[in-house]
């Protein structure tokens, strides 16, 4: 990033010096989706009871560490959290967030050869397949008589 302050994030000089093989670039931060990071900063600072403008540097650093840790676990952590809160808003018995994430993991993209474990879609029957099934049924009826 060209800017040292990115949604309250200030580069840590120790990490920048440690990342000398990447020409001083903090790769932990550079690999994060900026929109997800912004959403995480707003969420974490809101949990602390402050906003980005009103927070001091120590609060922003703490929020940054939490956001980076959560995004490292799940790349869309805060988007999933928002989805979880909206879908379970009026439920009496809510599943835990971790269980919700496991359920969503089944719906992620997979390679062509892999199949989904909980696939609710049925095989599409083409007209030729339907015709063949009808012929087989008719032949079975005539054979039995």
């Amino acid at each position: 990033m060209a800017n040292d302050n990115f949604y309250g994030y200030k580069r840590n000089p120790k990490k920048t010096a440690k990342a000398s093989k990447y020409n001083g670039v903090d790769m932990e931060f550079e690999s994060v989706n900026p929109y997800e990071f912004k959403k995480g900063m707003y969420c974490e600072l809101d949990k602390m009871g402050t906003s980005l403008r009103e927070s001091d540097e120590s609060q922003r650093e703490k929020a940054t560490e939490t956001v980076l840790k959560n995004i490292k676990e799940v790349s869309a952590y805060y988007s999933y959290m928002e989805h979880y809160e909206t879908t379970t808003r009026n439920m009496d018995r809510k599943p835990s967030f971790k269980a919700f994430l496991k359920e969503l993991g089944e719906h992620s993209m997979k390679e062509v050869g892999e199949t989904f474990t909980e696939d609710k879609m049925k095989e599409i029957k083409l007209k030729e397949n339907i015709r063949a099934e009808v012929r087989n049924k008719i032949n079975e009826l005539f054979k039995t008589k």
Side-chain angles (χ1 to χ4, degrees):
M1 299 256 119
N3 189 355
D4 272 353
N5 296 320
F6 181 73
Y7 299 116
Y9 176 76
K10 188 164 176 108
R11 294 181 193 272
N12 189 346
K14 291 178 185 176
K15 285 187 178 180
T16 308
K18 193 167 109 177
S20 61
K21 65 180 178 181
Y22 299 111
N23 296 328
V25 176
D26 185 1
M27 290 308 288
E28 180 182 4
F29 180 70
E30 292 293 328
S31 62
V32 172
N33 180 352
Y35 301 108
E36 197 67 27
F37 183 80
K38 178 182 177 182
K39 193 181 289 188
M41 284 298 287
Y42 282 129
C43 182
E44 293 300 326
L45 288 171
D46 188 46
K47 285 180 187 176
M48 290 181 197
T50 185
S51 68
L52 192 58
R53 290 180 183 242
E54 297 170 351
S55 63
D56 60 346
E57 192 169 333
S58 64
Q59 289 174 324
R60 286 193 301 268
E61 285 177 5
K62 185 177 178 185
T64 300
E65 294 301 320
T66 307
V67 168
L68 289 176
K69 182 184 76 118
N70 289 338
I71 290 178
K72 197 174 209 178
E73 287 177 20
V74 179
S75 60
Y77 184 87
Y78 293 98
S79 295
Y80 287 152
M81 178 66 80
E82 189 176 290
H83 179 62
Y84 169 76
E85 289 174 355
T86 55
T87 55
T88 61
R89 181 179 309 143
N90 295 324
M91 294 176 93
D92 292 332
R93 297 181 65 192
K94 295 180 182 181
S96 68
F97 182 63
K98 296 284 184 181
F100 184 77
L101 283 177
K102 285 181 184 177
E103 183 180 315
L104 285 177
E106 289 295 319
H107 302 291
S108 62
M109 295 179 72
K110 296 189 178 198
E111 289 188 23
V112 175
E114 295 180 26
T115 58
F116 291 99
T117 55
E118 293 183 25
D119 192 7
K120 296 179 182 176
M121 297 293 288
K122 295 180 180 177
E123 283 288 325
I124 298 174
K125 295 185 178 181
L126 300 175
K127 289 182 181 179
E128 296 83 22
N129 293 345
I130 295 171
R131 286 183 185 149
E133 285 184 28
V134 170
R135 282 189 199 125
N136 291 337
K137 293 284 184 182
I138 292 172
N139 289 337
E140 286 177 18
L141 289 174
F142 284 123
K143 286 180 184 178
T144 57
K145 290 183 180 180

